Amino acid sequence: MSTSVLAVREVSHSFGGAPVLDRIGFEVAPGEVVAFVGPSGCGKTTLLRLLSGFYRPEAGAVERRGSTRMIYQQDGLLPWLTVSENIALGLRHVAEKASREERLARLLQLIRLQGFARHYPHQLSGGMRQRVELARALAGDTSVLLMDEPFSSLDYQTRARMRAELTRVLSERPVAVVLVTHDIEEAVLLADRVLVLSERPAHVLCELRPEGERPRDVTSPALRATMKSILERLSLPHDFDGEGPKGEGESVGAPEASAWPG
Amino acid sequence: MKNARPVSYAQASLLAAACLVGGLGLWWLLSRAGLFPPSALPTPGEVAAGLGEEVRTGRLADDLVASLFRVAAGYTLAVVTSIPLGLALGHSPRWRAALLPTVNFFRSLSPLAWIPFAILWFGIGDAPVVFLIFMATFFPLVLATLAAVAEVPAVYFQVAHEYGFRGTELLTRITLPAVMPQVITALRVAGGVAWLVLVAAEMIAGRDGLGFAIWDARNGLRLDLLVCGMIVIGLTGALLDWLLSLLSKLPGVRWGYEH
């Protein structure tokens, strides 16, 4: 496993005899952000569930060093618990109360929600709820964060703010991230490596490394070239050879989620 | 409900009071119009006098306490047994396969069909009434809890698994709070059913209580006392429902009512 915190070795998986994943293999180094993009229903969420240990792979192996935590596509906060109680789920293993409270306060500060500790999830906006999920996932000694299209339910502006927020949080609290997303722009903005998956049974079509340090500028020629490569690898239409970036609120060159095959 | 304007508390109180006064006026007119014989429809004044008599003699308080005790006993017994069973059925396909047809069978039976057995097994008094209230509320509560478990989003169980909730802790800290909003709604419905069944059960299997008081007034041709009993039953039922509705105001379940 060398220095990696997560190693996936030739993992294959199926549901009801239908193959979903086909010999997927990759490693994630400490602090590295790896994004997966691919068609709808290609098995990205299944891959994350295998990485989290929720499923066992039919073939191959998943090796983890340290604990993994998940941020869900659906709202994963428990609605009957307050913000601080939700975050404290990630600190269940901390026996000493004073230490638990001190870490909780630090996490609330990290996500800038100190004044909302006693609020319930339904009293928060979508972006705030995502920040609470992030804090819960980072509580404890998390070494790998698994993110399943975490910002897909947010509007464009909140999504952009959450990307910036995630970049800031990861700079303050480095942790390895496996990000599954429909949004190619999100993948190239946040990831050190982007792995492109094929349709089912999914295998890795190619691996790309977006240039530059985070936070990145989505209009930079290098990032646009990376996005173009991804879209071409997936045989999807794009306008990167045309007039360039579109206006605010529109995805840059990438097709809408509904345009994905499958 | 398009363009429906919200009603303030003061407006709502005024509207309710106006309806009440209008209803009393209508009743008074009907009782004076000669449509029914005076012995068949008492006036509001006669009922008020009857209510005073019931309060003075202490019979109303005795009947109210007896009825509340029976409802509390039968309903509490049903709640503490049905919710755990509903949770178990919701979690276990084996338990569901074994017990769901039986639960559905008994749910379909009118609780009043049990009256002969209630009297044969428990005689007359508290026990048969408590038994009938239990039979009326237990099965609907089991089914409501089971349905609520089936609707818990899978993501809560994924979170529970991730953060190490297993066995009893999974049941008490994840499943139970996740179903509470729906269970509270079912508790209110079952509370109403319990109060309805109480009257019928006490009429036949009771020696006191509000239901028995109505029956006794009918036998004595004291329709003023009969209406007095009806009013107390209605008011007490509404009060009990209001008390149960307070459960939905608890901070840990408010999320279930926010849309």
Side-chain angles (χ1 to χ4, degrees), chain A residues 49 53-54 68-70 72 74-81 89-90 92 120 122 136-137, chain B residues 153-159 161-165 169 173-175 177-178 251-252 254-255 258:
Chain A
R49 287 180 180 175
F54 197 72
T68 58
R69 290 281 179 249
M70 185 101 151
Y72 296 88
Q74 274 180 283
D75 199 342
L77 294 180
L78 301 182
W80 55 91
L81 300 181
L89 290 180
R92 273 159 57 86
Y120 285 88
H122 72 266
R136 185 177 71 185
Chain B
V155 70
Y156 298 163
F157 293 117
Q158 287 164 20
V159 171
H161 177 267
E162 192 179 338
Y163 291 96
F165 291 92
E169 206 181 19
R173 293 200 54 195
I174 303 294
T175 312
R254 273 307 317 152
W255 61 274
E258 300 288 336

mmCIF file of all heavy atoms in Angstrom, chain A residues 49 53-54 68-70 72 74-81 89-90 92 120 122 136-137, chain B residues 153-159 161-165 169 173-175 177-178 251-252 254-255 258:
data_model
loop_
_atom_site.group_PDB
_atom_site.id
_atom_site.type_symbol
_atom_site.label_atom_id
_atom_site.label_comp_id
_atom_site.label_asym_id
_atom_site.label_seq_id
_atom_site.Cartn_x
_atom_site.Cartn_y
_atom_site.Cartn_z
ATOM 1 N N ARG A 49 -19.573 3.239 -2.183
ATOM 2 C CA ARG A 49 -20.055 2.348 -1.112
ATOM 3 C C ARG A 49 -19.074 1.199 -0.877
ATOM 4 O O ARG A 49 -18.963 0.698 0.238
ATOM 5 C CB ARG A 49 -21.453 1.824 -1.441
ATOM 6 C CG ARG A 49 -22.478 2.924 -1.277
ATOM 7 C CD ARG A 49 -23.871 2.484 -1.570
ATOM 8 N NE ARG A 49 -24.795 3.612 -1.397
ATOM 9 C CZ ARG A 49 -26.069 3.574 -1.673
ATOM 10 N NH1 ARG A 49 -26.602 2.476 -2.126
ATOM 11 N NH2 ARG A 49 -26.832 4.634 -1.501
ATOM 12 N N GLY A 53 -16.899 0.626 2.681
ATOM 13 C CA GLY A 53 -17.078 -0.633 3.405
ATOM 14 C C GLY A 53 -18.539 -1.011 3.546
ATOM 15 O O GLY A 53 -18.857 -2.032 4.160
ATOM 16 N N PHE A 54 -19.448 -0.182 3.003
ATOM 17 C CA PHE A 54 -20.875 -0.502 3.087
ATOM 18 C C PHE A 54 -21.183 -1.743 2.250
ATOM 19 O O PHE A 54 -22.036 -2.536 2.609
ATOM 20 C CB PHE A 54 -21.693 0.701 2.606
ATOM 21 C CG PHE A 54 -23.131 0.654 3.017
ATOM 22 C CD1 PHE A 54 -23.505 0.862 4.338
ATOM 23 C CD2 PHE A 54 -24.123 0.391 2.086
ATOM 24 C CE1 PHE A 54 -24.842 0.801 4.724
ATOM 25 C CE2 PHE A 54 -25.455 0.336 2.465
ATOM 26 C CZ PHE A 54 -25.808 0.547 3.784
ATOM 27 N N THR A 68 -12.576 6.121 6.952
ATOM 28 C CA THR A 68 -13.196 6.823 5.828
ATOM 29 C C THR A 68 -14.548 7.372 6.286
ATOM 30 O O THR A 68 -15.217 6.762 7.119
ATOM 31 C CB THR A 68 -13.442 5.880 4.638
ATOM 32 O OG1 THR A 68 -14.262 4.808 5.079
ATOM 33 C CG2 THR A 68 -12.149 5.346 4.067
ATOM 34 N N ARG A 69 -14.903 8.502 5.761
ATOM 35 C CA ARG A 69 -16.206 9.103 6.057
ATOM 36 C C ARG A 69 -16.851 9.547 4.755
ATOM 37 O O ARG A 69 -16.175 9.913 3.813
ATOM 38 C CB ARG A 69 -16.067 10.314 6.988
ATOM 39 C CG ARG A 69 -15.675 9.945 8.395
ATOM 40 C CD ARG A 69 -16.870 9.437 9.180
ATOM 41 N NE ARG A 69 -16.512 9.046 10.535
ATOM 42 C CZ ARG A 69 -16.502 7.794 10.990
ATOM 43 N NH1 ARG A 69 -16.818 6.800 10.192
ATOM 44 N NH2 ARG A 69 -16.191 7.534 12.231
ATOM 45 N N MET A 70 -18.172 9.525 4.750
ATOM 46 C CA MET A 70 -18.920 9.780 3.517
ATOM 47 C C MET A 70 -19.737 11.080 3.623
ATOM 48 O O MET A 70 -20.303 11.372 4.673
ATOM 49 C CB MET A 70 -19.877 8.600 3.318
ATOM 50 C CG MET A 70 -20.622 8.638 2.045
ATOM 51 S SD MET A 70 -19.838 7.515 0.879
ATOM 52 C CE MET A 70 -21.234 7.051 -0.107
ATOM 53 N N TYR A 72 -22.989 12.534 1.631
ATOM 54 C CA TYR A 72 -23.969 11.891 0.769
ATOM 55 C C TYR A 72 -24.583 12.834 -0.258
ATOM 56 O O TYR A 72 -24.640 14.042 -0.062
ATOM 57 C CB TYR A 72 -25.092 11.291 1.626
ATOM 58 C CG TYR A 72 -24.591 10.199 2.527
ATOM 59 C CD1 TYR A 72 -24.094 10.486 3.790
ATOM 60 C CD2 TYR A 72 -24.581 8.884 2.104
ATOM 61 C CE1 TYR A 72 -23.610 9.492 4.620
ATOM 62 C CE2 TYR A 72 -24.107 7.878 2.932
ATOM 63 C CZ TYR A 72 -23.621 8.186 4.183
ATOM 64 O OH TYR A 72 -23.142 7.198 4.998
ATOM 65 N N GLN A 74 -27.808 12.612 -1.126
ATOM 66 C CA GLN A 74 -29.018 13.061 -0.426
ATOM 67 C C GLN A 74 -28.573 13.747 0.854
ATOM 68 O O GLN A 74 -27.446 13.586 1.284
ATOM 69 C CB GLN A 74 -29.841 11.848 0.008
ATOM 70 C CG GLN A 74 -30.788 11.304 -0.996
ATOM 71 C CD GLN A 74 -31.493 10.107 -0.374
ATOM 72 O OE1 GLN A 74 -30.906 9.045 -0.291
ATOM 73 N NE2 GLN A 74 -32.716 10.306 0.067
ATOM 74 N N ASP A 75 -29.482 14.456 1.475
ATOM 75 C CA ASP A 75 -29.187 15.077 2.755
ATOM 76 C C ASP A 75 -28.898 13.984 3.781
ATOM 77 O O ASP A 75 -29.785 13.210 4.129
ATOM 78 C CB ASP A 75 -30.411 15.897 3.182
ATOM 79 C CG ASP A 75 -30.060 16.918 4.227
ATOM 80 O OD1 ASP A 75 -28.989 16.772 4.849
ATOM 81 O OD2 ASP A 75 -30.834 17.851 4.416
ATOM 82 N N GLY A 76 -27.662 13.899 4.240
ATOM 83 C CA GLY A 76 -27.280 12.815 5.156
ATOM 84 C C GLY A 76 -27.293 13.225 6.614
ATOM 85 O O GLY A 76 -26.885 12.439 7.473
ATOM 86 N N LEU A 77 -27.762 14.450 6.908
ATOM 87 C CA LEU A 77 -27.845 14.846 8.321
ATOM 88 C C LEU A 77 -29.074 14.200 8.940
ATOM 89 O O LEU A 77 -30.104 14.069 8.286
ATOM 90 C CB LEU A 77 -27.956 16.371 8.447
ATOM 91 C CG LEU A 77 -26.741 17.175 7.991
ATOM 92 C CD1 LEU A 77 -27.004 18.661 8.170
ATOM 93 C CD2 LEU A 77 -25.490 16.771 8.743
ATOM 94 N N LEU A 78 -28.954 13.814 10.202
ATOM 95 C CA LEU A 78 -30.108 13.225 10.890
ATOM 96 C C LEU A 78 -30.990 14.380 11.391
ATOM 97 O O LEU A 78 -30.538 15.191 12.210
ATOM 98 C CB LEU A 78 -29.649 12.335 12.044
ATOM 99 C CG LEU A 78 -28.734 11.180 11.617
ATOM 100 C CD1 LEU A 78 -28.347 10.315 12.809
ATOM 101 C CD2 LEU A 78 -29.382 10.327 10.534
ATOM 102 N N PRO A 79 -32.207 14.507 10.870
ATOM 103 C CA PRO A 79 -32.994 15.724 11.107
ATOM 104 C C PRO A 79 -33.447 15.919 12.544
ATOM 105 O O PRO A 79 -33.843 17.017 12.914
ATOM 106 C CB PRO A 79 -34.192 15.554 10.160
ATOM 107 C CG PRO A 79 -34.279 14.102 9.885
ATOM 108 C CD PRO A 79 -32.902 13.561 9.976
ATOM 109 N N TRP A 80 -33.415 14.864 13.360
ATOM 110 C CA TRP A 80 -33.872 15.008 14.746
ATOM 111 C C TRP A 80 -32.722 15.428 15.669
ATOM 112 O O TRP A 80 -32.911 15.607 16.859
ATOM 113 C CB TRP A 80 -34.499 13.706 15.254
ATOM 114 C CG TRP A 80 -33.614 12.506 15.123
ATOM 115 C CD1 TRP A 80 -32.733 12.029 16.046
ATOM 116 C CD2 TRP A 80 -33.526 11.621 14.005
ATOM 117 N NE1 TRP A 80 -32.097 10.913 15.567
ATOM 118 C CE2 TRP A 80 -32.579 10.630 14.318
ATOM 119 C CE3 TRP A 80 -34.165 11.578 12.768
ATOM 120 C CZ2 TRP A 80 -32.241 9.610 13.430
ATOM 121 C CZ3 TRP A 80 -33.833 10.559 11.890
ATOM 122 C CH2 TRP A 80 -32.887 9.587 12.222
ATOM 123 N N LEU A 81 -31.533 15.551 15.106
ATOM 124 C CA LEU A 81 -30.386 16.003 15.904
ATOM 125 C C LEU A 81 -30.012 17.427 15.504
ATOM 126 O O LEU A 81 -30.153 17.811 14.340
ATOM 127 C CB LEU A 81 -29.185 15.080 15.674
ATOM 128 C CG LEU A 81 -29.351 13.603 16.035
ATOM 129 C CD1 LEU A 81 -28.050 12.854 15.755
ATOM 130 C CD2 LEU A 81 -29.736 13.443 17.501
ATOM 131 N N LEU A 89 -21.621 13.012 16.160
ATOM 132 C CA LEU A 89 -21.640 11.597 15.759
ATOM 133 C C LEU A 89 -20.233 11.158 15.335
ATOM 134 O O LEU A 89 -19.827 10.021 15.560
ATOM 135 C CB LEU A 89 -22.589 11.381 14.577
ATOM 136 C CG LEU A 89 -24.083 11.521 14.825
ATOM 137 C CD1 LEU A 89 -24.844 11.273 13.537
ATOM 138 C CD2 LEU A 89 -24.541 10.546 15.886
ATOM 139 N N GLY A 90 -19.523 12.079 14.710
ATOM 140 C CA GLY A 90 -18.165 11.768 14.270
ATOM 141 C C GLY A 90 -17.162 11.732 15.407
ATOM 142 O O GLY A 90 -15.997 11.404 15.196
ATOM 143 N N ARG A 92 -17.939 10.144 18.412
ATOM 144 C CA ARG A 92 -18.446 9.142 19.357
ATOM 145 C C ARG A 92 -17.335 8.359 20.042
ATOM 146 O O ARG A 92 -17.479 7.901 21.164
ATOM 147 C CB ARG A 92 -19.369 8.155 18.633
ATOM 148 C CG ARG A 92 -20.805 8.611 18.551
ATOM 149 C CD ARG A 92 -21.563 7.919 17.452
ATOM 150 N NE ARG A 92 -21.571 6.480 17.535
ATOM 151 C CZ ARG A 92 -22.440 5.750 18.235
ATOM 152 N NH1 ARG A 92 -23.354 6.351 18.931
ATOM 153 N NH2 ARG A 92 -22.388 4.439 18.209
ATOM 154 N N TYR A 120 -31.560 23.011 14.120
ATOM 155 C CA TYR A 120 -31.829 21.717 13.491
ATOM 156 C C TYR A 120 -31.601 21.842 11.986
ATOM 157 O O TYR A 120 -31.700 22.956 11.438
ATOM 158 C CB TYR A 120 -33.267 21.277 13.774
ATOM 159 C CG TYR A 120 -33.440 20.778 15.190
ATOM 160 C CD1 TYR A 120 -33.753 21.649 16.225
ATOM 161 C CD2 TYR A 120 -33.244 19.434 15.496
ATOM 162 C CE1 TYR A 120 -33.879 21.206 17.527
ATOM 163 C CE2 TYR A 120 -33.369 18.980 16.792
ATOM 164 C CZ TYR A 120 -33.686 19.869 17.807
ATOM 165 O OH TYR A 120 -33.804 19.416 19.107
ATOM 166 N N HIS A 122 -33.373 21.356 9.391
ATOM 167 C CA HIS A 122 -34.412 21.999 8.584
ATOM 168 C C HIS A 122 -34.420 23.517 8.751
ATOM 169 O O HIS A 122 -35.092 24.215 8.004
ATOM 170 C CB HIS A 122 -35.791 21.396 8.897
ATOM 171 C CG HIS A 122 -36.344 21.785 10.227
ATOM 172 N ND1 HIS A 122 -36.174 21.010 11.351
ATOM 173 C CD2 HIS A 122 -37.062 22.853 10.638
ATOM 174 C CE1 HIS A 122 -36.766 21.587 12.387
ATOM 175 N NE2 HIS A 122 -37.308 22.702 11.981
ATOM 176 N N ARG A 136 -18.990 17.013 10.134
ATOM 177 C CA ARG A 136 -19.207 15.693 10.740
ATOM 178 C C ARG A 136 -18.239 14.668 10.161
ATOM 179 O O ARG A 136 -17.672 13.845 10.877
ATOM 180 C CB ARG A 136 -20.652 15.243 10.502
ATOM 181 C CG ARG A 136 -20.985 13.938 11.192
ATOM 182 C CD ARG A 136 -22.430 13.551 11.005
ATOM 183 N NE ARG A 136 -22.712 13.148 9.643
ATOM 184 C CZ ARG A 136 -23.933 12.856 9.189
ATOM 185 N NH1 ARG A 136 -24.970 12.963 9.992
ATOM 186 N NH2 ARG A 136 -24.124 12.490 7.941
ATOM 187 N N ALA A 137 -18.056 14.763 8.819
ATOM 188 C CA ALA A 137 -17.166 13.805 8.165
ATOM 189 C C ALA A 137 -15.709 14.022 8.568
ATOM 190 O O ALA A 137 -14.917 13.071 8.591
ATOM 191 C CB ALA A 137 -17.311 13.916 6.656
ATOM 192 N N PRO B 153 -35.730 7.112 5.050
ATOM 193 C CA PRO B 153 -34.761 7.145 3.955
ATOM 194 C C PRO B 153 -33.541 6.265 4.244
ATOM 195 O O PRO B 153 -33.018 6.260 5.364
ATOM 196 C CB PRO B 153 -34.353 8.626 3.898
ATOM 197 C CG PRO B 153 -35.491 9.357 4.515
ATOM 198 C CD PRO B 153 -36.039 8.448 5.569
ATOM 199 N N ALA B 154 -33.113 5.527 3.218
ATOM 200 C CA ALA B 154 -31.990 4.587 3.380
ATOM 201 C C ALA B 154 -30.731 5.302 3.849
ATOM 202 O O ALA B 154 -29.893 4.709 4.548
ATOM 203 C CB ALA B 154 -31.735 3.875 2.057
ATOM 204 N N VAL B 155 -30.612 6.583 3.509
ATOM 205 C CA VAL B 155 -29.381 7.302 3.861
ATOM 206 C C VAL B 155 -29.191 7.366 5.387
ATOM 207 O O VAL B 155 -28.050 7.341 5.873
ATOM 208 C CB VAL B 155 -29.366 8.709 3.214
ATOM 209 C CG1 VAL B 155 -30.371 9.643 3.842
ATOM 210 C CG2 VAL B 155 -27.980 9.333 3.271
ATOM 211 N N TYR B 156 -30.285 7.393 6.173
ATOM 212 C CA TYR B 156 -30.141 7.430 7.633
ATOM 213 C C TYR B 156 -29.473 6.139 8.138
ATOM 214 O O TYR B 156 -28.665 6.168 9.059
ATOM 215 C CB TYR B 156 -31.496 7.603 8.331
ATOM 216 C CG TYR B 156 -32.224 8.892 8.006
ATOM 217 C CD1 TYR B 156 -33.568 9.027 8.272
ATOM 218 C CD2 TYR B 156 -31.562 9.973 7.430
ATOM 219 C CE1 TYR B 156 -34.256 10.204 7.975
ATOM 220 C CE2 TYR B 156 -32.226 11.150 7.126
ATOM 221 C CZ TYR B 156 -33.573 11.250 7.389
ATOM 222 O OH TYR B 156 -34.252 12.400 7.101
ATOM 223 N N PHE B 157 -29.846 5.018 7.506
ATOM 224 C CA PHE B 157 -29.252 3.747 7.932
ATOM 225 C C PHE B 157 -27.787 3.655 7.480
ATOM 226 O O PHE B 157 -26.962 3.040 8.150
ATOM 227 C CB PHE B 157 -30.076 2.573 7.408
ATOM 228 C CG PHE B 157 -31.443 2.497 8.034
ATOM 229 C CD1 PHE B 157 -32.584 2.630 7.271
ATOM 230 C CD2 PHE B 157 -31.588 2.319 9.393
ATOM 231 C CE1 PHE B 157 -33.842 2.591 7.850
ATOM 232 C CE2 PHE B 157 -32.838 2.280 9.999
ATOM 233 C CZ PHE B 157 -33.967 2.415 9.216
ATOM 234 N N GLN B 158 -27.482 4.269 6.320
ATOM 235 C CA GLN B 158 -26.082 4.308 5.883
ATOM 236 C C GLN B 158 -25.245 5.134 6.871
ATOM 237 O O GLN B 158 -24.141 4.740 7.243
ATOM 238 C CB GLN B 158 -25.983 4.902 4.480
ATOM 239 C CG GLN B 158 -26.481 3.956 3.391
ATOM 240 C CD GLN B 158 -26.733 4.683 2.085
ATOM 241 O OE1 GLN B 158 -26.226 5.754 1.840
ATOM 242 N NE2 GLN B 158 -27.544 4.084 1.229
ATOM 243 N N VAL B 159 -25.803 6.271 7.280
ATOM 244 C CA VAL B 159 -25.105 7.109 8.270
ATOM 245 C C VAL B 159 -24.932 6.322 9.571
ATOM 246 O O VAL B 159 -23.851 6.314 10.171
ATOM 247 C CB VAL B 159 -25.898 8.421 8.524
ATOM 248 C CG1 VAL B 159 -25.323 9.199 9.702
ATOM 249 C CG2 VAL B 159 -25.892 9.292 7.275
ATOM 250 N N HIS B 161 -24.786 3.118 10.012
ATOM 251 C CA HIS B 161 -23.776 2.070 9.822
ATOM 252 C C HIS B 161 -22.379 2.680 9.897
ATOM 253 O O HIS B 161 -21.477 2.160 10.554
ATOM 254 C CB HIS B 161 -24.000 1.411 8.455
ATOM 255 C CG HIS B 161 -22.989 0.364 8.119
ATOM 256 N ND1 HIS B 161 -21.842 0.652 7.405
ATOM 257 C CD2 HIS B 161 -22.932 -0.946 8.404
ATOM 258 C CE1 HIS B 161 -21.135 -0.449 7.263
ATOM 259 N NE2 HIS B 161 -21.781 -1.435 7.851
ATOM 260 N N GLU B 162 -22.243 3.823 9.224
ATOM 261 C CA GLU B 162 -20.930 4.478 9.161
ATOM 262 C C GLU B 162 -20.444 4.906 10.546
ATOM 263 O O GLU B 162 -19.242 4.821 10.843
ATOM 264 C CB GLU B 162 -21.050 5.691 8.239
ATOM 265 C CG GLU B 162 -19.724 6.295 7.855
ATOM 266 C CD GLU B 162 -19.906 7.485 6.925
ATOM 267 O OE1 GLU B 162 -20.953 7.595 6.265
ATOM 268 O OE2 GLU B 162 -18.990 8.309 6.881
ATOM 269 N N TYR B 163 -21.377 5.373 11.380
ATOM 270 C CA TYR B 163 -20.969 5.865 12.692
ATOM 271 C C TYR B 163 -21.157 4.824 13.798
ATOM 272 O O TYR B 163 -21.169 5.157 14.978
ATOM 273 C CB TYR B 163 -21.695 7.181 13.015
ATOM 274 C CG TYR B 163 -21.201 8.290 12.110
ATOM 275 C CD1 TYR B 163 -21.881 8.627 10.953
ATOM 276 C CD2 TYR B 163 -20.002 8.953 12.379
ATOM 277 C CE1 TYR B 163 -21.399 9.611 10.101
ATOM 278 C CE2 TYR B 163 -19.509 9.926 11.531
ATOM 279 C CZ TYR B 163 -20.221 10.252 10.394
ATOM 280 O OH TYR B 163 -19.724 11.207 9.548
ATOM 281 N N GLY B 164 -21.320 3.574 13.389
ATOM 282 C CA GLY B 164 -21.234 2.463 14.334
ATOM 283 C C GLY B 164 -22.471 2.186 15.165
ATOM 284 O O GLY B 164 -22.355 1.642 16.262
ATOM 285 N N PHE B 165 -23.660 2.556 14.686
ATOM 286 C CA PHE B 165 -24.876 2.210 15.433
ATOM 287 C C PHE B 165 -25.304 0.803 15.063
ATOM 288 O O PHE B 165 -25.449 0.490 13.881
ATOM 289 C CB PHE B 165 -26.014 3.180 15.095
ATOM 290 C CG PHE B 165 -25.802 4.570 15.618
ATOM 291 C CD1 PHE B 165 -25.185 5.530 14.839
ATOM 292 C CD2 PHE B 165 -26.205 4.897 16.897
ATOM 293 C CE1 PHE B 165 -24.981 6.812 15.324
ATOM 294 C CE2 PHE B 165 -26.008 6.181 17.399
ATOM 295 C CZ PHE B 165 -25.386 7.135 16.603
ATOM 296 N N GLU B 169 -29.126 0.167 19.883
ATOM 297 C CA GLU B 169 -28.798 1.579 19.669
ATOM 298 C C GLU B 169 -29.326 2.056 18.313
ATOM 299 O O GLU B 169 -29.808 3.179 18.186
ATOM 300 C CB GLU B 169 -27.277 1.765 19.732
ATOM 301 C CG GLU B 169 -26.902 3.153 20.153
ATOM 302 C CD GLU B 169 -25.404 3.375 20.213
ATOM 303 O OE1 GLU B 169 -24.637 2.597 19.597
ATOM 304 O OE2 GLU B 169 -24.997 4.334 20.846
ATOM 305 N N ARG B 173 -31.864 5.029 18.605
ATOM 306 C CA ARG B 173 -31.277 6.333 18.261
ATOM 307 C C ARG B 173 -31.444 6.703 16.793
ATOM 308 O O ARG B 173 -31.201 7.831 16.415
ATOM 309 C CB ARG B 173 -29.799 6.358 18.664
ATOM 310 C CG ARG B 173 -29.649 6.297 20.191
ATOM 311 C CD ARG B 173 -28.328 6.781 20.667
ATOM 312 N NE ARG B 173 -28.006 8.115 20.192
ATOM 313 C CZ ARG B 173 -26.803 8.641 20.244
ATOM 314 N NH1 ARG B 173 -25.811 7.937 20.747
ATOM 315 N NH2 ARG B 173 -26.566 9.862 19.791
ATOM 316 N N ILE B 174 -31.810 5.730 15.960
ATOM 317 C CA ILE B 174 -31.999 6.041 14.536
ATOM 318 C C ILE B 174 -33.447 5.769 14.115
ATOM 319 O O ILE B 174 -34.161 6.681 13.718
ATOM 320 C CB ILE B 174 -31.024 5.223 13.645
ATOM 321 C CG1 ILE B 174 -29.566 5.481 14.059
ATOM 322 C CG2 ILE B 174 -31.244 5.537 12.162
ATOM 323 C CD1 ILE B 174 -29.060 6.891 13.812
ATOM 324 N N THR B 175 -33.865 4.505 14.210
ATOM 325 C CA THR B 175 -35.187 4.152 13.684
ATOM 326 C C THR B 175 -36.306 4.883 14.425
ATOM 327 O O THR B 175 -37.178 5.492 13.796
ATOM 328 C CB THR B 175 -35.419 2.634 13.771
ATOM 329 O OG1 THR B 175 -34.276 1.973 13.255
ATOM 330 C CG2 THR B 175 -36.634 2.224 12.965
ATOM 331 N N PRO B 177 -36.416 7.715 16.414
ATOM 332 C CA PRO B 177 -36.590 9.150 16.116
ATOM 333 C C PRO B 177 -36.975 9.414 14.666
ATOM 334 O O PRO B 177 -37.701 10.368 14.391
ATOM 335 C CB PRO B 177 -35.230 9.773 16.440
ATOM 336 C CG PRO B 177 -34.292 8.666 16.685
ATOM 337 C CD PRO B 177 -35.074 7.434 16.960
ATOM 338 N N ALA B 178 -36.530 8.546 13.744
ATOM 339 C CA ALA B 178 -36.863 8.763 12.326
ATOM 340 C C ALA B 178 -38.355 8.560 12.059
ATOM 341 O O ALA B 178 -38.908 9.181 11.158
ATOM 342 C CB ALA B 178 -36.042 7.819 11.444
ATOM 343 N N PRO B 251 -38.959 19.719 20.046
ATOM 344 C CA PRO B 251 -37.912 20.132 19.104
ATOM 345 C C PRO B 251 -37.387 18.985 18.231
ATOM 346 O O PRO B 251 -37.123 19.182 17.052
ATOM 347 C CB PRO B 251 -36.801 20.656 20.023
ATOM 348 C CG PRO B 251 -37.449 20.945 21.315
ATOM 349 C CD PRO B 251 -38.631 20.056 21.439
ATOM 350 N N GLY B 252 -37.272 17.792 18.807
ATOM 351 C CA GLY B 252 -36.689 16.667 18.074
ATOM 352 C C GLY B 252 -37.582 16.070 16.998
ATOM 353 O O GLY B 252 -37.141 15.196 16.252
ATOM 354 N N ARG B 254 -39.941 18.337 15.238
ATOM 355 C CA ARG B 254 -40.466 19.456 14.422
ATOM 356 C C ARG B 254 -40.138 19.256 12.940
ATOM 357 O O ARG B 254 -40.899 19.640 12.067
ATOM 358 C CB ARG B 254 -39.857 20.790 14.876
ATOM 359 C CG ARG B 254 -40.526 21.515 15.983
ATOM 360 C CD ARG B 254 -41.986 21.809 15.890
ATOM 361 N NE ARG B 254 -42.498 22.268 14.622
ATOM 362 C CZ ARG B 254 -43.746 22.057 14.210
ATOM 363 N NH1 ARG B 254 -44.577 21.382 14.951
ATOM 364 N NH2 ARG B 254 -44.169 22.517 13.065
ATOM 365 N N TRP B 255 -38.966 18.660 12.659
ATOM 366 C CA TRP B 255 -38.532 18.475 11.272
ATOM 367 C C TRP B 255 -39.579 17.731 10.448
ATOM 368 O O TRP B 255 -39.723 17.982 9.249
ATOM 369 C CB TRP B 255 -37.213 17.710 11.230
ATOM 370 C CG TRP B 255 -37.292 16.334 11.830
ATOM 371 C CD1 TRP B 255 -37.150 16.007 13.141
ATOM 372 C CD2 TRP B 255 -37.554 15.107 11.147
ATOM 373 N NE1 TRP B 255 -37.312 14.661 13.325
ATOM 374 C CE2 TRP B 255 -37.560 14.086 12.112
ATOM 375 C CE3 TRP B 255 -37.782 14.775 9.806
ATOM 376 C CZ2 TRP B 255 -37.782 12.751 11.783
ATOM 377 C CZ3 TRP B 255 -38.001 13.447 9.486
ATOM 378 C CH2 TRP B 255 -38.003 12.445 10.467
ATOM 379 N N GLU B 258 -42.234 20.203 8.973
ATOM 380 C CA GLU B 258 -41.794 21.369 8.201
ATOM 381 C C GLU B 258 -41.804 21.013 6.722
ATOM 382 O O GLU B 258 -41.115 20.092 6.304
ATOM 383 C CB GLU B 258 -40.363 21.786 8.610
ATOM 384 C CG GLU B 258 -40.234 22.163 10.068
ATOM 385 C CD GLU B 258 -40.891 23.496 10.385
ATOM 386 O OE1 GLU B 258 -41.037 24.319 9.464
ATOM 387 O OE2 GLU B 258 -41.259 23.695 11.553
#
